[in-house]
Amino acid sequence: GTPLNVQPYARVKYVDRHSLEDLRKEYPEMAQRALVKPDIIDSGETLDSIPDGSLDFVVANHFLEHCQNLLGTLRTHARKIRPNGRLFYAVPNRDFTFDRHRPVTPFEHLVQDDREGPEQSRVAHYREWAALVEKAAPEAVAQRAADLQQQDYSIHFHAWDARALFDT
């Protein structure tokens, strides 16, 4: 996507789970968009290749909704920054995106994903996506969801409107 403007003296490294070439393959609908080439190929949820306490800031725009274990991701990001570091997030309002027909993710769901692991809700997330975002025919939802899950396609696992996000 479009990088956030930062101070000219800031050194920025871009992280993505795919190379630029693989991003273009997975998201052909973004063919006309200028995408940033990732400097680091890693999971944004775990940032395994980045040492704890080594970052001054983490910027993650339109990322948190893709996280399968949001609370675990927030803890990881907090662990990766130095004392007095900054976390900067932007999250889409469900009401103004393709998520508008999906239910708001309650905080209790995030706690359950964190405690029990996101695997327990993954199938339901992909089915909801297939039915309410992609509008698959009812008889095709299960197969479409299975295909997306097999591809490890990065859907919005969670969705919030403005009220729900602030209540979280």
Side-chain angles (χ1 to χ4, degrees), residues 68-161:
Q68 294 185 56
N69 180 357
L70 176 66
L71 299 179
T73 298
L74 294 175
R75 278 194 309 275
T76 294
H77 288 183
R79 195 175 65 246
K80 298 298 176 176
I81 60 172
R82 292 181 175 105
N84 298 315
R86 300 286 186 257
L87 300 174
F88 182 93
Y89 301 113
V91 179
N93 182 334
R94 172 202 72 150
D95 293 343
F96 302 104
T97 71
F98 46 74
D99 287 322
R100 67 186 161 278
H101 300 295
R102 296 178 62 203
V104 167
T105 303
F107 184 72
E108 296 75 26
H109 176 91
L110 302 176
V111 171
Q112 183 177 7
D113 281 348
D114 190 46
R115 286 188 179 150
E116 299 176 19
E119 300 80 14
Q120 54 84 28
S121 63
R122 186 174 294 130
V123 170
H125 285 300
Y126 278 107
R127 285 185 177 180
E128 180 180 281
W129 178 270
L132 300 179
V133 175
E134 292 191 353
K135 308 281 191 220
E139 64 277 6
V141 166
Q143 184 59 56
R144 179 60 181 150
D147 292 345
L148 290 167
Q149 186 172 353
Q150 192 276 327
Q151 295 169 30
D152 192 27
Y153 191 80
S154 182
I155 65 169
H156 288 188
F157 288 95
H158 305 104
W160 302 276
D161 58 16

